[in-house]
């Protein structure tokens, strides 16, 4: 059976293409794709697709660290964070997406959610569909919004069923999605189908149906069982909706701080540490932990808050994060195996600090650079005092 060939997702009538040719066509004729592989310069339609490519094709590539950094083309003006004097103004004018963009994006995603809820075959019936990614959390940066749709399957409540049926579920879901007007399937991974819908990149993740707190406690009990190690990733995908709800519920000012740190990570950290940069969710949990330690203020001085987060990153080896009031499980359930850790408050098996070989020293070095800038002149003693 030959490889799948698809038409252009922007409905220009060109194609059908293989995956690589299709990406290159979009990149050339419909605007530069922002996700470029640093090693082979191949463009990708989504950040997740790029990460999968890097892990599959370039894992352990010895010359990667010596590759010159390719500056991305940007739809927005770039502010050098080490030169700005007002963080709030920078967030408002450079980083935050405009309301028109968000409104248009949400309308499109709401339409897609309804299509999934009412038009999938009976065997793929969704009990609930959650908006994930930065759009669901309310932490999208201007010009870019990663979107996950978490589809809780009505007829699947055990991870053993999800594990055995996932290949068939993804295949049937891909076939069904291709019949929806405006939808073009880009590819798939072990846990998701990647599509474009009205120009948006969306990942569709089928998961278990977690109905209530009782079923969540049962889920935690099962996933921490030593015999469940080989199915850990299937449990983890199910908890995406909890992670989205956790970050989405914090005050607007805290989300603005998250946007600021995400922007700094993209513009200053990634060019240095490349593929070993911590994910946005890792930074989000560090920020939420510092916010709780500052007594959860709804309003605060952005300079002091950023100073506190950057200082924590400088001293990353001292991090021991399992935040009371945020964690959905008790501390004795958490699988803590290191002196330094950042436990995912939604997943007792996920130590975000040690989950991958993040370049924490590179992050700390960039944090030190920013702390030396004039915007932080006179700022000190920020731990617990925003």
């Amino acid at each position: 059976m030959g490889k799948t060939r698809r038409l252009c997702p922007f409905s220009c009538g060109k194609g059908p293409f293989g995956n690589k040719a299709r990406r290159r066509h979009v990149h050339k004729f419909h605007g530069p794709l922002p996700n470029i592989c640093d090693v082979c310069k191949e463009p990708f339609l989504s950040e997740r697709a790029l990460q999968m490519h890097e892990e599959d094709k370039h894992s352990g590539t010895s010359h990667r660290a010596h590759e010159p950094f390719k500056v991305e083309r940007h739809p927005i003006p770039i502010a050098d964070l080490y030169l700005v004097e007002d963080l709030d103004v920078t967030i408002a004018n450079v980083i935050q997406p405009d309301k028109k963009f968000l409104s248009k994006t949400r309308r499109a995603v709401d339409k897609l959610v309804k299509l999934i809820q009412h038009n999938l075959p009976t065997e793929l019936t969704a009990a609930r569909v959650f908006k994930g990614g930065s759009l669901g959390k309310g932490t999208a940066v201007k010009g870019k919004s990663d979107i996950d749709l978490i589809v809780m399957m009505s007829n699947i409540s055990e991870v053993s069923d999800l594990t055995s049926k996932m290949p068939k579920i993804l295949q049937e879901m891909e076939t069904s999605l291709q019949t929806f007007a405006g939808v073009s399937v880009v590819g798939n991974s072990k846990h998701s189908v990647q599509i474009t819908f009205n120009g948006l990149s969306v990942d569709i993740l089928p998961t278990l149906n977690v109905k209530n707190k009782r079923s969540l406690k049962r889920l935690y009990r099962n996933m921490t069982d030593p015999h469940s190690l080989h199915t850990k990733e299937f449990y983890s995908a199910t908890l995406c909706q909890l992670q989205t709800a956790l970050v989405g519920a914090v005050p607007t000012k805290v989300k603005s701080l998250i946007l600021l740190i995400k922007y700094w990570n993209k513009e200053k950290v990634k060019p240095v540490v490349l593929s070993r940069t911590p994910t946005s969710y890792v930074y989000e949990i560090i920020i939420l932990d510092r916010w709780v330690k500052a007594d959860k203020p709804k309003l605060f001085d952005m300079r002091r808050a950023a100073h506190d987060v950057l200082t924590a990153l400088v001293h990353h080896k001292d991090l021991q994060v399992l935040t009371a009031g945020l964690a959905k499980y008790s501390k004795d359930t958490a699988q803590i195996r290191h002196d330094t850790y950042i436990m995912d408050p939604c997943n007792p098996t996920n130590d975000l600090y040690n989950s991958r070989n993040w370049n924490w020293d590179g992050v700390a070095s960039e944090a030190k650079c920013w702390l030396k800038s004039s915007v932080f002149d006179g700022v000190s003693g920020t731990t617990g005092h925003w």
Side-chain angles (χ1 to χ4, degrees), residues 162-183:
L162 186 66
T163 306
S164 62
K165 295 178 180 178
M166 182 63 86
K168 185 178 180 182
I169 289 171
L170 292 175
Q171 184 180 28
E172 292 179 351
M173 189 167 283
E174 181 173 334
T175 300
S176 298
L177 289 167
Q178 285 176 328
T179 67
F180 295 177
V183 169

Side-chain angles (χ1 to χ4, degrees), residues 63-254:
H63 67 276
R64 179 173 178 80
H66 304 290
E67 281 285 322
F69 176 67
K70 183 176 178 65
V71 178
E72 296 177 0
R73 297 189 190 182
H74 238 275
I76 57 176
I78 306 248
D80 188 335
L81 287 181
Y82 298 169
L83 299 178
V84 300
E85 296 295 335
D86 192 317
L87 297 181
D88 290 294
V89 169
T90 301
I91 293 169
N93 293 343
V94 178
I95 304 174
Q96 281 183 338
D98 57 79
K99 293 181 180 179
K100 185 177 180 180
F101 166 80
L102 284 179
S103 178
K104 182 179 178 181
T105 302
R106 284 170 179 154
R107 284 198 303 270
V109 173
D110 287 343
K111 182 178 179 181
L112 180 58
V113 168
K114 289 179 181 178
L115 286 172
I116 291 172
Q117 288 176 325
H118 302 297
N119 294 279
L120 289 178
T122 304
E123 60 271 21
L124 297 178
T125 299
R128 288 174 289 174
V129 181
F130 289 92
K131 299 174 194 173
S134 61
L135 182 72
K137 296 173 184 175
T139 58
V141 174
K142 184 178 288 188
K144 186 176 182 183
S145 176
D146 64 296
I147 303 164
D148 295 339
L149 289 184
I150 301 130
V151 182
M152 288 196 162
M153 310 293 292
S154 293
N155 59 347
I156 297 183
S157 57
E158 299 292 338
V159 78
S160 56
D161 284 344
L162 186 66
T163 306
S164 62
K165 295 178 180 178
M166 182 63 86
K168 185 178 180 182
I169 289 171
L170 292 175
Q171 184 180 28
E172 292 179 351
M173 189 167 283
E174 181 173 334
T175 300
S176 298
L177 289 167
Q178 285 176 328
T179 67
F180 295 177
V183 169
S184 180
V185 176
V186 176
N188 57 55
S189 68
K190 287 177 65 177
H191 302 283
S192 68
V193 177
Q194 290 112 31
I195 68 168
T196 60
F197 180 69
N198 292 348
L200 299 171
S201 295
V202 185
D203 284 359
I204 315 289
L205 293 89
T207 68
L208 300 175
N209 183 16
V210 181
K211 301 176 182 178
N212 48 42
K213 289 184 178 179
R214 179 181 296 178
S215 58
L216 180 61
K217 287 184 72 172
R218 183 164 171 258
L219 182 75
Y220 284 151
R221 186 168 61 251
N222 290 340
M223 72 186 296
T224 53
D225 187 301
H227 300 292
S228 298
L229 287 176
H230 66 290
T231 57
K232 177 182 175 181
E233 56 189 329
F234 288 90
Y235 286 110
S236 298
T238 299
L239 299 174
C240 286
Q241 60 96 3
L242 287 181
Q243 297 169 344
T244 300
L246 176 73
V247 179
V250 301
T252 301
K253 187 85 172 181
V254 181

Side-chain angles (χ1 to χ4, degrees), residues 308-360:
D308 183 31
V309 172
L310 293 171
T311 302
L313 292 172
V314 169
H315 302 290
H316 62 90
K317 292 181 181 178
D318 296 331
L319 288 171
Q320 293 183 333
V321 177
L322 178 54
T323 317
L326 294 181
K328 307 294 183 182
Y329 51 85
S330 60
K331 186 172 183 178
D332 57 359
T333 305
Q335 296 185 349
I336 300 174
R337 298 187 173 91
H338 302 273
D339 292 333
T340 303
Y341 56 86
I342 303 171
M343 296 307 299
D344 181 344
C346 301
N347 185 340
T349 70
N350 188 18
D351 178 353
L352 297 166
Y353 186 91
N354 299 288
S355 60
R356 288 175 63 181
N357 187 28
W358 307 124
N359 185 348
W360 286 105

Side-chain angles (χ1 to χ4, degrees), residues 45-64:
L45 290 166
S46 71
E47 187 171 358
R48 183 164 298 189
L50 171 59
Q51 290 174 347
M52 290 169 57
H53 163 81
E54 289 178 332
E55 291 172 4
D56 182 43
K57 301 296 184 183
H58 304 304
S59 179
T61 302
S62 61
H63 67 276
R64 179 173 178 80

